[in-house]
Amino acid sequence: MKSLTCLYDSQNEKYLLYHSALLVFVLTVVIPINLQLTRFSFAATAILFATGFLSMFMIARNDKVGFGLLKSLRIEKGSNLLSQKMPYPHFNSADNYQDPIVLMQNFVDELGRRHHEEMDWTKLDSFRMLNARLTQLVKV
């Protein structure tokens, strides 16, 4: 049983090495699957993704990695921020509805205004044409 402590004991020296190697193995197999260079059955692919998720979870369970992650998120060890609930504002979604095409038109206008100096003529022309198409869609 002592030989299996690297699988579950996060204080073990080989724990992080084992799960990192397992994650690297899963990534080297999953990348060709995503690029459709190899084909596996659905069950084999599901097992690979589950193994990768489990190894990432076990790596984050390690004290050094977990506290490093919390430090990079600027959450102090033992902070109350982890135990506090996020406030959920109750609102009526019908009141806050905005047309996505109008939002897209506003975004294109703002992007064109902010980066006018850095754009060449072809980009400016494509933004102008996109804005004209969006204006036509808004009028319909």
Side-chain angles (χ1 to χ4, degrees), residues 4 35 40 70:
L4 297 177
L35 296 175
F40 285 134
L70 291 177

Side-chain angles (χ1 to χ4, degrees), residues 82-95:
L82 296 175
S83 61
Q84 291 177 356
K85 291 185 177 179
M86 294 295 291
Y88 178 73
H90 298 285
F91 62 93
N92 188 357
S93 62
D95 295 340

